[in-house]
Amino acid sequence: MNFKKELAEILFEVLEGAISLHDLELLIEKPKNQAHGDLAFPVFRLAKIKRKSPNVIAQELREQIQSPTFEKVEVVGAYLNLFLNKKLVSEKVVNAIINKKNQFASQNIGNGSNVTIDMSSPNIAKPFSMGHLRSTVIGNAIALIIEKCGYKPIKINHLGDWGTQFGKLITAYKLWGDEEKVKQNPIKELLALYIKFHEEAESSPSLEDDGRAWFKKLEDGNEEALTLWQWFRDESLKEFSKIYQLMNVEFDSYAGEAFYNDKMDRVVQLLEEKQLLVESDQAQVVELLEEELPPCLIKKSDGATLYATRDLAAALYRKENYNFAKSLYVVGHEQSLHFKQLIAVLTKMGYDWAEKMVHVPFGMMLKDGKKMSTRKGKVVLLEEVLNESIAMARHNIEEKNPNLPNKDEVAKQVGVGAVIFHDLKNNRMNDIEFSLEEMLRFEGETGPYVQYTYARACSILRKGKWEAVVLDHAYSTSWEKEWKVISLLMEFSTAIKRASENFDPSQVAKYVVDLAQAFNKYYAEVKVLEESEEQKARLALVYSVTVVLKEGLRLLGVQAPEEM
RNA sequence: GUCCCGAUAGCUCAGCAGGAUAGAGCAACAGUUUCCUAAACUGUAGGUCGGAGGUUCGAAUCCUCUUCGGGACGCCA
């Protein structure tokens, strides 16, 4: 159902190859102004080749385009404006959706190949902050979108469960910790200890050395260190799983940094064999001079490993176990240097698959224009935000639809949907200033707006007793009033494809808002349930919209209640 | 200092494989419910697309320079 391609092929024939098929497809555009038709072809390029005025060329072309797909071809200046045959196209689209249901717009670009997605990755013993929300939500949406395009996503929660921070935490716990208090409120207590550590370290820098020493012990298998670490980890995971359940996110693997503890020797060995390891200030590094990057630190002067070491081990492990076609890292953009180094080192090691690794960066969640810092206790907790959002949704239901049967369930879907959608609707590179007010807005370009549109459409179908039978006959409508909605329905697969290629869920979020807006306008203009011979066609349109809105929201990780 | 991002309406942002008059939402103002859920819809107002050059028939979009904001730059992750 790609009419752009169809037009390109017609033009290619007519022009006898003056412009390649590929270029033609790029030149054909979708006019912003509906009065300019559904597709347009600017002929400037031809004017140069043919040495005729653009307007003359356009006039000539108009005569030569003969296809039932286009009901009208107009020339305006140097533009060829084409109008699709509304009846033919609309019925094609609507029937395709009725037949394929949620499989509509599914594609098989990926051919079932594996794509690993490193995402979420919260730090153990720290609260799940708004910052981690972004990686979780973006990663989850990318997984769903690429799956729709025929890839097999493998979601990996690369838990931050290893590193010097645990040495610091153990130090702090041994100095000031209270077992009972930690048991009662693990995350909160551990966070308090972590903050206290950094406060105290300001005046007594030797604490930092103690922290590093404890981490070294942990890495060397010291029993006391390991027991504490295991305890912190278990408690943290319990807390995290509550949030993941709330957001409906699941993982294929929880192999975090600690998982690679026994796999790092091999990396170091490989680097040595390839003579890439250099000593520098008692530390082991890989120089990246030709790449014009700073050196990548592999081992600290005390022999302990670093972030990069673990990520190298993880990359090797993932390649060997999942044989990925692509390996994505949904991690904040402040870490882009790290990933450049990582890929550079792997390339130096001779692994050509390093080029299949992609850092998918995103902007930061800011508070008062500044980065949030766990060390200074400047965090906003995701769980609190989600709960507030759910409460707000619940309040709205009480006000607007008090007879709704499953209020709590719907409040959860709407509240959580609002938070997720708010994160996904804009380009992921934009920094987001944290604002509860913004997040809890349920009007305009928001998740609840789209959900509400879906609920209204579902309501029409219920009352209109719509049954999705496969219809092989024509509808008695001209599809004039429906056209805006139809032309958007056609674009669903394009939006998905773009989102998948650019790892950019906001393409789908924007699409779904556009469709909801178009439908709401239609809803205000046309009374579907009024008896008319056009009703069957209109119900088919409403049904099509519900299918696409629901699927679009699903691809973002947002649920769609049928009533709200 | 080097590198990476960003700058479009009062606010939050679309548009950025160059195309026809730069679009939404929020906020403001004025309206719409005997009729499919008003979490909606309609209308008014709001802009030298940070600045300066360049490429082009055509630039918010591409190139160069520049200003401002954010981030990263070896023993944190």
Side-chain angles (χ1 to χ4, degrees):
Chain A
M1 225 174 338
N2 187 340
F3 300 108
K4 206 180 210 183
K5 197 172 173 188
E6 196 173 323
L7 176 59
E9 279 161 5
I10 294 171
L11 286 169
F12 186 70
E13 290 269 317
V14 170
L15 294 170
E16 295 165 340
I19 298 178
S20 77
L21 194 60
H22 178 76
D23 285 357
L24 280 171
E25 233 183 302
L26 289 180
L27 281 169
I28 296 166
E29 59 194 67
K30 193 175 177 273
K32 291 172 206 149
N33 187 338
Q34 271 205 35
H36 291 143
D38 302 302
L39 291 171
F41 178 61
V43 300
F44 299 101
R45 277 268 297 270
L46 282 170
K48 269 193 173 166
I49 299 169
K50 297 208 167 192
R51 299 184 170 279
K52 282 190 211 169
S53 89
N55 187 262
V56 171
I57 295 171
Q59 296 286 359
E60 286 174 5
L61 278 177
R62 183 177 62 175
E63 304 305 318
Q64 296 177 66
I65 293 172
Q66 301 288 340
S67 162
T69 306
F70 301 101
E71 64 184 14
K72 191 167 67 170
V73 184
E74 280 180 358
V75 172
V76 180
Y79 287 86
L80 205 59
N81 292 334
L82 298 105
F83 295 76
L84 287 168
N85 181 328
K86 294 184 178 55
K87 194 166 173 63
L88 187 117
V89 168
S90 298
E91 287 169 13
K92 236 184 214 182
V93 171
V94 164
N95 284 332
I97 296 173
I98 290 170
N99 282 321
K100 293 183 184 167
K101 301 191 181 66
N102 63 349
Q103 292 300 307
F104 177 69
S106 293
Q107 296 158 62
N108 189 21
I109 303 165
N111 236 323
S113 57
N114 284 350
V115 175
T116 57
I117 307 176
D118 184 304
M119 55 180 273
S120 194
S121 315
N123 293 322
I124 295 300
K126 288 190 197 171
F128 204 105
S129 71
M130 289 303 296
H132 293 294
L133 169 72
R134 302 219 68 197
S135 174
T136 309
V137 159
I138 294 169
N140 191 237
I142 290 175
L144 291 162
I145 290 165
I146 65 172
E147 190 172 44
K148 179 103 180 155
C149 290
Y151 293 92
K152 185 175 187 307
I154 295 153
K155 289 181 278 184
I156 303 172
N157 195 341
H158 195 237
L159 292 169
D161 57 1
W162 207 245
T164 314
Q165 51 176 328
F166 292 98
K168 293 178 182 177
L169 198 60
I170 290 168
T171 308
Y173 178 76
K174 288 185 70 72
L175 282 172
W176 315 295
D178 178 329
E179 189 176 338
E180 280 311 306
K181 273 167 111 177
V182 175
K183 273 190 177 153
Q184 272 171 24
N185 209 337
I187 300 274
K188 214 178 143 194
E189 265 318 299
L190 293 175
L191 177 66
L193 285 171
Y194 191 70
I195 293 167
K196 187 174 169 84
F197 179 91
H198 284 280
E199 280 168 4
E200 298 286 330
E202 300 254 326
S203 49
S204 45
S206 67
L207 274 177
E208 297 275 355
D209 295 330
D210 295 344
R212 277 192 280 271
W214 268 109
F215 175 54
K216 186 72 173 78
K217 284 191 204 171
L218 182 62
E219 235 180 3
D220 292 341
N222 174 291
E223 202 172 313
E224 186 184 8
L226 270 173
T227 309
L228 283 173
W229 171 81
Q230 187 68 49
W231 179 40
F232 296 160
R233 190 181 192 270
D234 291 347
E235 293 295 341
S236 298
L237 273 182
K238 270 189 232 162
E239 295 277 319
F240 294 159
S241 64
K242 274 196 268 176
I243 290 166
Y244 289 136
Q245 255 174 35
L246 205 52
M247 295 203 299
N248 219 6
V249 175
E250 285 172 9
F251 295 93
D252 299 289
S253 161
Y254 279 88
E257 297 191 68
F259 176 78
Y260 298 99
N261 198 23
D262 60 359
K263 296 169 183 63
M264 284 184 288
D265 283 347
R266 184 179 154 222
V267 172
V268 176
Q269 206 181 325
L270 281 167
L271 286 167
E272 267 167 1
E273 280 169 18
K274 294 172 199 250
Q275 303 192 329
L276 293 169
L277 226 44
V278 179
E279 191 172 309
S280 162
D281 291 336
Q282 277 113 56
Q284 302 286 317
V285 308
V286 176
E287 295 280 4
L288 299 166
L289 294 173
E290 309 92 271
E291 292 81 1
E292 295 186 331
L293 292 170
C296 180
L297 241 69
I298 303 297
K299 269 192 164 185
K300 298 198 269 192
S301 46
D302 65 2
T305 60
L306 284 144
Y307 186 36
T309 329
R310 290 186 281 280
D311 262 358
L312 285 170
L316 283 168
Y317 178 86
R318 287 173 192 172
K319 182 62 198 173
E320 280 156 13
N321 280 270
Y322 301 115
N323 190 28
F324 54 73
K326 279 203 185 86
S327 179
L328 310 183
Y329 291 83
V330 183
V331 181
H333 87 281
E334 66 270 24
Q335 290 194 41
S336 57
L337 175 61
H338 165 73
F339 287 104
K340 272 187 197 163
Q341 290 180 312
L342 195 66
I343 292 167
V345 170
L346 288 166
T347 306
K348 262 188 143 58
M349 291 172 83
Y351 301 124
D352 55 0
W353 48 262
E355 67 184 31
K356 308 288 188 197
M357 291 168 55
V358 183
H359 177 208
V360 180
F362 53 83
M364 283 182 297
M365 189 75 81
L366 303 175
K367 186 92 191 281
D368 306 320
K370 289 275 159 53
K371 190 180 174 180
M372 296 184 196
S373 162
T374 318
R375 294 184 186 189
K376 294 177 182 141
K378 274 181 74 175
V379 278
V380 181
L381 306 189
L382 177 56
E383 196 172 3
E384 286 174 10
V385 172
L386 286 175
N387 286 336
E388 282 212 46
S389 187
I390 292 167
M392 173 74 123
R394 177 70 212 230
H395 172 261
N396 284 354
I397 290 168
E398 234 31 273
E399 206 169 69
K400 296 167 198 287
N401 196 359
N403 297 323
L404 191 71
N406 51 341
K407 289 179 190 168
D408 287 326
E409 176 62 17
V410 172
K412 200 184 110 179
Q413 295 181 354
V414 173
V416 173
V419 172
I420 294 178
F421 198 90
H422 176 262
D423 198 295
L424 291 177
K425 74 175 173 188
N426 292 137
N427 185 319
R428 35 164 239 271
M429 283 306 285
N430 297 351
D431 286 342
I432 299 181
E433 171 66 30
F434 174 78
S435 153
L436 196 60
E437 204 188 331
E438 272 291 309
M439 230 170 265
L440 302 195
R441 251 192 41 226
F442 292 174
E443 289 128 43
E445 296 167 329
T446 66
Y449 171 82
V450 180
Q451 289 171 318
Y452 175 70
T453 310
Y454 173 76
R456 283 171 124 192
C458 285
S459 173
I460 293 179
L461 294 182
R462 275 194 305 275
K463 292 187 176 160
K465 307 235 177 346
W466 160 263
E467 281 168 60
V469 281
V470 179
L471 303 158
D472 57 349
H473 51 71
Y475 302 88
S476 38
T477 320
S478 63
W479 301 93
E480 286 293 337
K481 289 177 178 159
E482 288 76 14
W483 186 242
K484 185 78 214 288
V485 175
I486 292 281
S487 67
L488 276 164
L489 289 173
M490 287 192 295
E491 278 177 62
F492 189 37
S493 71
T494 312
I496 290 169
K497 198 176 162 197
R498 274 185 74 163
S500 166
E501 283 169 352
N502 302 316
F503 309 116
D504 181 9
S506 76
Q507 296 296 333
V508 174
K510 275 166 209 144
Y511 170 81
V512 127
V513 167
D514 283 348
L515 180 60
Q517 282 176 337
F519 180 74
N520 279 326
K521 278 176 191 167
Y522 178 74
Y523 182 99
E525 191 192 337
V526 177
K527 300 285 170 243
V528 174
L529 293 183
E530 244 168 41
E531 283 294 327
S532 81
E533 58 173 10
E534 294 170 304
Q535 194 182 69
K536 199 193 295 175
R538 289 175 173 170
L539 283 171
L541 179 85
V542 174
Y543 173 75
S544 303
V545 170
T546 62
V547 169
V548 172
L549 282 182
K550 185 176 187 180
E551 180 67 359
L553 285 173
R554 185 189 72 80
L555 293 175
L556 299 172
V558 175
Q559 291 177 292
E562 292 185 7
E563 286 179 76
M564 68 184 264

